[in-house]
Amino acid sequence: MHPSNTIGQSAVEFREVTRTFGDSAHTVTALDNVDFAIPRGSIFGVLGESGAGKSTLLRLMNGLDHPTNGQVLVNGTDLASLARKQLNQMRHQIGVVFQSFNLVGNLTVEQNVAMPLRLQKRKDTAKVAAMLEFVGLGHRTKHYPAQLSGGEKQRVAIARSLVTDPLLLLCDEPTSALDTHTTGEILELLRTTRERFGTTIVLVTHELDAVKAICDQAAIFEVGRLRDIVAVNAVQTDKGETYLDHVRTVLGQ
């Protein structure tokens, strides 16, 4: 476990963040004065329907985009203040798991997992093997993505994202392309990742059950606005609602 990854400190902070697109005549507000923090070592859900601002949040957290106003801090560092080289170094500490897996079809499983190390001009075959054992695919190292099931592809993607020992793992709808049984397996793997490595995990999803299964807290977004932050493991809110009932009330479902 990373020694600095203890719950109670912030892995990510959004400080009055607004992100707009377009010109003054046609401005679209993707995020509107968003302010919240993600505790280190937590599994934090970001919940909302299409158009809620989830993709923009992810891009801001991994430094692919910067706020129009406000600050996004990762491990205490304002990403917008970094030069390109510094930002690239910071992004080595951030892993990303995508809905569509994003594996390279003509590379084997082990070559896909080794890719982030190659980009850093590193070679560590033992680390690649250890990550594949961790996700349960030590027997599939020489296979190609086309030979894998959807769940196996996502396990490869998770191994690839963890091979550089990231402090922060961003998961973008990682289970929405999977069946119910496989979804449960991938969520359990993410929970084990936090327990084994102390990784802070951000789960971006529109699936209430996925958030309920593994998250400590969840931020609920609607049309670019932060509507609420809820403690997922609380049986009831202070109004006597269950967690899922409260989320549905906030989102008007």
Side-chain angles (χ1 to χ4, degrees):
M1 179 178 292
H2 298 290
S4 62
N5 255 19
T6 55
I7 294 178
Q9 302 176 27
S10 295
V12 181
E13 290 184 66
F14 279 72
R15 296 182 176 177
E16 299 180 348
V17 170
T18 295
R19 182 64 173 107
T20 59
F21 297 94
D23 54 32
S24 57
H26 300 90
T27 299
V28 175
T29 301
L31 293 175
D32 187 2
N33 197 34
V34 171
D35 201 284
F36 70 100
I38 298 174
R40 290 190 183 189
S42 67
I43 303 180
F44 190 93
V46 175
L47 188 62
E49 298 299 326
S50 178
K54 304 191 302 297
S55 295
T56 302
L57 282 166
L58 273 181
R59 290 179 60 82
L60 294 177
M61 279 189 269
N62 67 12
L64 290 175
D65 194 10
H66 299 305
T68 307
N69 295 296
Q71 293 179 301
V72 177
L73 279 66
V74 175
N75 293 324
T77 300
D78 182 354
L79 297 184
S81 71
L82 299 178
R84 182 181 296 273
K85 183 177 181 180
Q86 293 172 311
L87 181 58
N88 286 338
Q89 291 173 342
M90 174 64 77
R91 290 179 66 193
H92 290 162
Q93 301 179 36
I94 304 170
V96 184
V97 178
F98 301 94
Q99 172 184 354
S100 55
F101 320 128
N102 284 17
L103 302 180
V104 180
N106 63 348
L107 297 182
T108 65
V109 164
E110 63 182 357
Q111 289 171 334
N112 268 281
V113 173
M115 186 180 298
L117 296 174
R118 288 179 56 196
L119 294 174
Q120 297 179 28
K121 296 183 168 64
R122 296 165 55 192
K123 185 177 180 179
D124 192 338
T125 54
K127 187 61 178 292
V128 171
M131 284 298 100
L132 284 169
E133 287 294 338
F134 172 70
V135 301
L137 290 178
H139 61 298
R140 300 285 251 167
T141 59
K142 303 300 182 183
H143 288 73
Y144 290 88
Q147 299 172 292
L148 305 178
S149 68
E152 288 173 330
K153 290 176 183 177
Q154 195 59 288
R155 287 175 180 273
V156 174
I158 291 171
R160 180 184 58 190
S161 70
L162 294 175
V163 76
T164 57
D165 295 319
L167 297 173
L168 177 65
L169 183 63
L170 307 177
C171 300
D172 184 10
E173 302 276 5
T175 61
S176 60
L178 306 175
D179 60 41
T180 301
H181 176 72
T182 308
T183 290
E185 293 180 338
I186 295 300
L187 292 175
E188 186 58 35
L189 179 58
L190 292 176
R191 190 205 313 273
T192 304
T193 296
R194 189 263 297 269
E195 293 173 353
R196 178 79 61 88
F197 305 115
T199 314
T200 304
I201 299 175
V202 180
L203 177 65
V204 176
T205 183
H206 65 276
E207 299 174 349
L208 296 179
D209 288 341
V211 170
K212 183 182 179 184
I214 64 168
C215 291
D216 305 304
Q217 292 178 292
I220 307 169
F221 280 84
E222 186 178 29
V223 197
R225 294 184 177 181
L226 176 60
R227 294 293 303 274
D228 202 357
I229 294 180
V230 296
V232 178
N233 56 5
V235 177
Q236 293 184 331
T237 69
D238 55 8
K239 296 180 181 179
E241 299 174 296
T242 66
Y243 158 71
L244 287 178
D245 286 341
H246 177 63
V247 173
R248 291 189 177 104
T249 297
V250 171
L251 293 178
Q253 297 183 355

